[in-house]
Amino acid sequence: MQKNNIGAMSRRRFLAVSGAIAGTSIIDHQSKVYPAVFHISKTDQVKQKIALVGTGVRGVSTWGRNVVRDYSDYVDFVGLCDNNPGRLEFGKNFIGASCSTYSDFDKMMKETKPDSLIVTTVDDTHDYFIKRGMELGANIICEKPMAIDEKKIQTIIDAEKRTGKDCRVTFNYRYSPHRAKMWKILRSGEIGDLTSIDFHWYLDTSHGASYFRRWHRLVERGGSLWVHKASHHFDLLNWWIESDPESVYALGDLEFYGKNGPFRAENCRNCPHTKQCDFYWDIMKSSYNKRLYVDNEKYDGYLRDGCVFRNDVNIYDKMAATIKYMNGVQVSYSLTAYSPYEGYRIAFNGTKGRMDAWIQESNPTTDRRYDEIVIAKNFGKREYIQFPQSGGHGGGDKILKDQIFILNTPDPYKQAAGVRDGSFACLVGIAARESIKSKMPVMIKDLTTLIPQTQKEYKRV
Ligand SMILES: NC(=O)c1ccc[n+]([C@@H]2O[C@H](COP(=O)([O-])OP(=O)(O)OC[C@H]3O[C@@H](n4cnc5c(N)ncnc54)[C@H](O)[C@@H]3O)[C@@H](O)[C@H]2O)c1
């Protein structure tokens, strides 16, 4: 009974906040509470010294070559680090940076003294580089997921408090125009009081299957898709709902990949079953993949074209969770990793109506070239809002990087995320993992020192 009252009260608060935002300039509201470039001091823009650890595909492209190409007026790369010397050398040439390269992280930090450190290593190492990077004087720009378990998250929370440094988590999913539009509509009051969300994500047998080829297939490296992938989705929920998650109850299984396959090998290049296997993938067809991964296997033995049916796959490929939020909103979530097409369906249920979206990211079943949001009023008409599909997440990637590298870039939709947001996004997935083991709901407040709030807070931890 008391819980319901809290839920009802918090929903009224949600609307009050919505009304405030709808009725005033969103930019004014935002800039007062949460500067977008929150780790550049509010003095005149000076060129930031940047170091990067993890020269894999994400490090050398999104946070490497593209940054040199688009932000050289604002940043200088001063150091690159990776524990695979071949990939490090390739990365330096590919990025086009003239800085030094290091296999020793501490040495790089001490010699180059970067203002900011970009962390694009394998997920289970993020916490180490965030903590050590802060201790050695840098603010951090980290790829999702921020960390793969609650102890690692606590390490980051403590390091941020102790060092006074910041960690920006680069949740690029927040930046797609259609997702920002949903954020705005939720605050406009159009569907009334938000009460629940149905959210179902489908990974396909190409991109989705690739998680089962790579290090992501091991829970100890990526935290399972509950954390590696779904932290994107949980972050979207946390951001849209603007409240913190309270509890998670989850189910999951591995029924398609790994031990379930009809045959297996270590990797596709050494497989006797290539003719029968729908998942056969010839990495040698891409000279980029060959140079980034195959040529450097000799240093660490990492096989980028691993077999999706290897017996060591220990993550789930079908998952479902019920998530309760502090403001009473409840969410039905699922993730399926072997669908014929990739994308998601979402419905936001409110007291005055509903907002639906069906976004297809690969192999769409129609030749439609736009994404669509539908707003249906309980006793009114439907409204269809369409967005042309385009690369770079519809321009979102540029806004994310502008906010990170260019001083005073506005943040009208509160898309900038720090340690608090990075933590809650991972904690939902970590709680789901724990819930499957214990067969019980898991309370988010029991995992770290972070205290979930009814109204999401925009401040450091
Ligand atoms: N936001 C997104 O949409 C998105 C997309 C892709 C990847 N990512 C994230 O980017 C990160 C990197 O992913 P990726 O696809 O580039 O993987 P990758 O395997 O291509 O690269 C990881 C790199 O980290 C290096 N590395 C691993 N452990 C290290 C250590 N202890 N010290 C130094 N280097 C180490 C590896 O040698 C490799 O070069 C991951 O955290 C991933 O979740 C995010």
Side-chain angles (χ1 to χ4, degrees), residues 181-190 355 373 375 385:
K181 182 72 177 176
M182 291 179 202
W183 187 94
K184 252 171 96 172
I185 291 167
L186 287 169
R187 273 140 201 86
S188 71
E190 282 210 61
M355 171 166 63
I373 297 173
I375 302 174
I385 304 165

Side-chain angles (χ1 to χ4, degrees), residues 120-136:
T120 45
T121 49
V122 172
D123 300 350
D124 66 314
T125 64
H126 288 179
D127 59 305
Y128 174 78
F129 291 115
I130 293 171
K131 170 180 165 284
R132 195 69 191 129
M134 285 177 170
E135 286 169 355
L136 294 172

Side-chain angles (χ1 to χ4, degrees), residues 212 253-257 315-319 335-338:
F212 296 82
D253 219 330
L254 173 66
E255 289 185 336
F256 188 85
Y257 298 106
I315 59 170
Y316 304 113
D317 55 22
K318 75 166 188 186
M319 287 146 274
L335 175 59
T336 308
Y338 40 85

Side-chain angles (χ1 to χ4, degrees), residues 56-58 82 87 121 123 126 143-144 172 215 228 293:
V57 61
R58 193 73 175 166
D82 200 285
R87 200 150 38 241
T121 49
D123 300 350
H126 288 179
E143 260 300 349
K144 52 50 63 179
N172 51 329
W215 49 262
H228 175 80
Y293 297 109

Side-chain angles (χ1 to χ4, degrees), residues 384-437:
Y384 298 85
I385 304 165
Q386 294 169 353
F387 298 83
Q389 290 168 347
S390 61
H393 297 113
D397 287 357
K398 179 179 177 331
I399 303 170
L400 167 68
K401 286 191 193 144
D402 283 0
Q403 285 186 355
I404 288 177
F405 297 123
I406 305 176
L407 183 64
N408 291 331
T409 302
D411 185 16
Y413 307 123
K414 301 185 186 181
Q415 286 152 313
V419 168
R420 197 178 162 80
D421 289 0
S423 300
F424 280 121
C426 297
L427 286 171
V428 178
I430 292 164
R433 254 178 15 214
E434 292 308 309
S435 172
I436 294 171
K437 272 194 220 146

Side-chain angles (χ1 to χ4, degrees), residues 88-250:
L88 182 58
E89 194 50 35
F90 171 83
K92 182 182 168 176
N93 294 330
F94 185 83
I95 291 171
S98 54
C99 62
S100 303
T101 55
Y102 298 84
S103 57
D104 181 330
F105 178 71
D106 274 27
K107 188 162 185 254
M108 173 176 83
M109 296 300 290
K110 286 173 187 165
E111 282 186 10
T112 65
K113 298 187 175 50
D115 301 305
S116 296
L117 168 73
I118 301 178
V119 178
T120 45
T121 49
V122 172
D123 300 350
D124 66 314
T125 64
H126 288 179
D127 59 305
Y128 174 78
F129 291 115
I130 293 171
K131 170 180 165 284
R132 195 69 191 129
M134 285 177 170
E135 286 169 355
L136 294 172
N139 290 304
I140 312 294
I141 299 159
C142 184
E143 260 300 349
K144 52 50 63 179
M146 194 182 79
I148 64 163
D149 66 36
E150 66 273 31
K151 287 201 185 86
K152 289 174 183 285
I153 288 176
Q154 190 64 53
T155 302
I156 296 168
I157 293 169
D158 294 343
E160 189 183 55
K161 278 194 182 138
R162 196 174 62 246
T163 61
K165 294 294 175 186
D166 285 312
C167 175
R168 168 82 184 236
V169 184
T170 56
F171 283 121
N172 51 329
Y173 275 32
R174 291 188 182 190
Y175 289 81
S176 298
H178 67 268
R179 296 188 188 121
K181 182 72 177 176
M182 291 179 202
W183 187 94
K184 252 171 96 172
I185 291 167
L186 287 169
R187 273 140 201 86
S188 71
E190 282 210 61
I191 64 162
D193 199 346
L194 179 67
T195 56
S196 67
I197 300 177
D198 315 320
F199 192 12
H200 304 289
W201 200 287
Y202 310 100
L203 294 171
D204 67 12
T205 46
S206 170
H207 171 248
S210 80
Y211 292 110
F212 296 82
R213 298 185 188 288
R214 299 180 278 162
W215 49 262
H216 314 61
R217 75 187 186 283
L218 302 172
V219 68
E220 57 274 24
R221 305 260 36 212
S224 82
L225 293 178
W226 275 122
V227 175
H228 175 80
K229 185 68 188 174
S231 60
H232 263 315
H233 312 153
F234 300 141
D235 175 66
L236 287 174
L237 288 168
N238 300 347
W239 171 64
W240 279 323
I241 297 172
E242 215 169 27
S243 176
D244 293 333
E246 180 182 284
S247 65
V248 181
Y249 176 73

Side-chain angles (χ1 to χ4, degrees), residues 190-193 348-355 375-378:
E190 282 210 61
I191 64 162
D193 199 346
F348 299 85
N349 302 296
T351 50
K352 291 188 184 162
R354 174 180 163 106
M355 171 166 63
I375 302 174
K377 301 281 174 57
N378 282 348

